[in-house]
Amino acid sequence: KQWYQRRVRGRKEEKTEYTMKTCVDPPHAKLTTSLSLGITTEPTAVTTSTDCTVKVWGCGDEEDSWTQRQVLRHRHGPAYSSLISGDGSVLVVGYKGLVVLYGTDSWDV
């Protein structure tokens, strides 16, 4: 959750008010192990998890809205880290003892 903080001055005291700005549902069923940001065909976020999924998120037309674009699974179990290449053409995902490269044009290995 993200909160907006505002100080309010009254006659006798000053107080702080908080308003919820954003509430985000957990992206995975189990522990999220990494978050990577980069540019593919759009601003992109990638999360990895011990639930054996890698989720690709795209920033839509609204700058404050992220939508799940792809769910990737690999036979090697939980994913622990990820990185989007500088040119945005490759997603690198680290599994236990293994690195897998996905092409971002089709999200295939």
Side-chain angles (χ1 to χ4, degrees), residues 25-32 48-53 55:
D25 294 327
H28 293 276
K30 292 187 178 178
L31 179 69
T32 301
T48 60
S49 174
T50 57
D51 68 3
C52 302
T53 63
K55 294 187 177 180

Side-chain angles (χ1 to χ4, degrees), residues 64-106:
D64 59 352
S65 174
W66 290 86
T67 305
Q68 183 178 299
R69 302 282 193 233
Q70 194 76 27
V71 178
L72 308 171
R73 290 179 177 81
H74 200 271
R75 65 182 177 272
H76 293 284
Y80 295 102
S81 60
S82 65
L83 174 75
I84 299 170
S85 66
D87 67 359
S89 65
V90 177
L91 169 64
V92 182
V93 178
Y95 297 88
K96 186 177 181 181
L98 180 72
V99 173
V100 176
L101 307 177
Y102 294 91
T104 60
D105 55 347
S106 62

Side-chain angles (χ1 to χ4, degrees), residues 4 11 28 34 36 42 57 61 66 74 83-84 88 104 107:
Y4 173 74
R11 288 184 166 163
H28 293 276
S34 75
S36 299
E42 64 184 344
W57 307 84
D61 294 334
W66 290 86
H74 200 271
L83 174 75
I84 299 170
T104 60
W107 300 107

Side-chain angles (χ1 to χ4, degrees), residues 1-3 20-28 32 35 47 57 64-67:
K1 294 180 183 179
Q2 291 181 338
W3 298 87
M20 190 177 347
K21 181 178 178 183
T22 304
C23 184
V24 179
D25 294 327
H28 293 276
T32 301
L35 167 67
T47 55
W57 307 84
D64 59 352
S65 174
W66 290 86
T67 305

